[in-house]
Amino acid sequence: MDFRSSRRPIRIGCGCLTLSAAPYDEALINADDLIIRRIDPVQHIILDQNRNCRRISSKAYKPSSGPDAGMSVDIEALIVAAGVVPQAFVTTPKFTGSVSFAASAIRALGLWVGYEPIPGNPHHGEVWGNPQANKFTSAQNRALTAGAQWYVQIPNVELA
Amino acid sequence: MTRPKHLPEFNEPPLDEVVLGVQFDPIPSYTAVDARAIWDLYRSEFPEIEEQPPLSPSFETFGGSPQHGIQFRFGPMPPATRLWFKTSDGSHLIQFQPDRLLTNWRKHLGLVPYPRYEQIASKFAESFAMLAAHVESARGYALAINQAELTYINVIPVDDFRDSAAWLRAWSAPPVDIEVFNLAFHEVALDEMGRPAGRLYHEVQTVLSVDGRTKALRFALTYRGKPQEASLDSALNFLAQGRETIVRRFADMTTDQAHERWKRNS
Amino acid sequence: MRSGSVQNSAFQQYASTVGATDSNVVALPGSGARAVLPGHSAAEWGDALTSRLNELTSLPKGWDGYAGRPVLFTTARFAAELLERLYDAAVAPPSLVPGSDGTLQIEWHANQYDIEIDVLGPYKVQASRFDHLAGVDEDLDLEADVTPLAQWISDLAADRSALAVVA
């Protein structure tokens, strides 16, 4: 895979030191690439009495509040390119469930998705709001909640 | 900063202690190692130091109802010590913890005259500015004030607690030999638009001197709430409003006889 | 009742003649007597949410599989303040959901309402309510005055059976 995005964070030496990316949309992430969001099987799950089920909270799809922060994700294509089984990667070292979105679906909401490798996770990315990176509108948050598909399913939990 | 002309004024008020300060979003990644650099900001004037247990975060919210008897106690708080930086003569101190800065003045043996609110507030503003500049320089982080508070603690010596009505309008003493009493209430302070702006706490307690020989009433008024903005200027405006509220309320709640004793001149 | 001055005083050399009280818990005489209401007692809320708040403020770093941090104590303390004001005996305790960034969301999904109160920090609250029956969305940004939320919580216990039939 050719990583020639001019906005891509710099990898130095072994790739274990990287610079955090300012919000941007990565052109090398293709429309049908899967973007994975990990879901904690305890912390992110709520009881919905309206639907009489346990389901994922919308909080799981909200960005962090720090400046230039977004919503952490894993980029499936990067994991595959590294020769790692994605389902194994996103359930290690701690088991979590996960959901996925097509990159096109994220962009259709007006959000950006880009690379942001971090120590311990070279396949890490971010979904950012646009124009404000750390802010998704209620509509965007609801659309993410509604549009998520299981990647690693949590038993007895509904998606939305 | 000048005293508003219309405020009640007393030449010999029973004021025993003034506490003025702010709460701010906790300084990120603060550890005990950072305390020395903080003390160094104030050490020339406050050369003595003492450790105290930290104060819990406090907030003034409005709406709903807090009277259901439900309270959440969880924790522990993140490890941090409250530090007292004290003057040599014991009349002033600064209180610091990672989410608070307060200044206290006390009437020390009557030797140091009450410096008046304007001077206390001005000095506090300098202290806060020094802390903010240090945190900005050392961490690239801007302190964000989320609450301000002002307390006036008055100590009114009495011969007997049954004499309380001679000093306090709020208290009409029944014909009992009072051993102790404790009166506390608060009210919501409204802004000019009629919206909740803060809270005014009233506390009256019977107290004894350490040697047990002197009886007194401790009458404390605290004004607390969130300033409109997170800036020091906004906090000072809030505190100035609090000062006016407290002084007026003190005058309203104390008797004419008391005012005469304290030499009210406006 | 919360204390005004005792905590911050440094110089008081007089001893109160009243027994020491926990300044966070001062109770006026007689306030300990509570009417026994049907529904959800203050103790039920207290036990469930205290335990949950303890858990959330103790989450390990990386709890979410990324760089998640525990809920900040100050944020949790402010959320607890809100919950103390919003308690309603007719309403079950809410779910509390942590954010990766130390924030906390309080939520109810009942009586055909979805209420989500996102506590981003002291005095920084973003709240939303969706009414499934009316198809109405409401969004609020709040600081200190949570009066609108109290009405939302009260609505969770309202009888909506007539509306449900129409819907």
Side-chain angles (χ1 to χ4, degrees), chain B residues 22-25 128 143-148 227 229-232 235:
Chain B
V22 296
Q23 175 178 273
F24 39 84
D25 295 344
F128 183 86
L143 292 181
I145 294 170
N146 61 45
Q147 187 146 282
E229 309 289 337
S231 67
L232 175 61

Side-chain angles (χ1 to χ4, degrees), chain C residues 108-124:
Chain C
W108 286 268
H109 304 277
N111 208 17
Q112 297 304 306
Y113 286 113
D114 292 326
I115 296 175
E116 295 173 355
I117 303 170
D118 205 355
V119 183
L120 303 180
Y123 302 117
K124 296 173 194 153

Side-chain angles (χ1 to χ4, degrees), chain C:
Chain C
M1 190 182 74
R2 187 171 303 137
S3 164
S5 66
V6 170
Q7 291 185 103
N8 297 342
S9 167
F11 297 123
Q12 291 301 296
Q13 292 185 327
Y14 284 85
S16 172
T17 54
V18 180
T21 57
D22 181 334
S23 61
N24 282 337
V25 198
V26 172
L28 293 172
S31 67
R34 298 174 199 157
V36 177
L37 296 172
H40 305 276
S41 67
E44 179 189 347
W45 273 54
D47 290 347
L49 297 177
T50 297
S51 172
R52 184 64 176 141
L53 289 165
N54 272 321
E55 181 184 2
L56 293 176
T57 52
S58 307
L59 287 172
K61 193 174 176 186
W63 63 267
D64 60 349
Y66 301 111
R69 55 187 303 190
V71 173
L72 294 173
F73 183 86
T74 304
T75 300
R77 186 62 254 162
F78 183 76
E81 167 84 17
L82 296 187
L83 289 166
E84 287 167 11
R85 291 200 159 269
L86 296 177
Y87 165 71
D88 186 320
V91 175
S95 298
L96 304 183
V97 182
S100 300
D101 54 352
T103 61
L104 167 63
Q105 181 160 290
I106 303 167
E107 46 190 290
W108 286 268
H109 304 277
N111 208 17
Q112 297 304 306
Y113 286 113
D114 292 326
I115 296 175
E116 295 173 355
I117 303 170
D118 205 355
V119 183
L120 303 180
Y123 302 117
K124 296 173 194 153
V125 178
Q126 294 175 351
S128 67
R129 179 172 78 163
F130 180 64
D131 181 343
H132 288 268
L133 294 182
V136 171
D137 246 322
E138 297 170 82
D139 289 307
L140 297 171
D141 284 331
L142 302 168
E143 294 184 340
D145 189 353
V146 297
T147 301
L149 298 184
Q151 183 58 53
W152 285 6
I153 305 312
S154 178
D155 290 345
L156 283 173
D159 181 359
R160 310 191 78 200
S161 52
L163 286 171
V165 169
V166 171

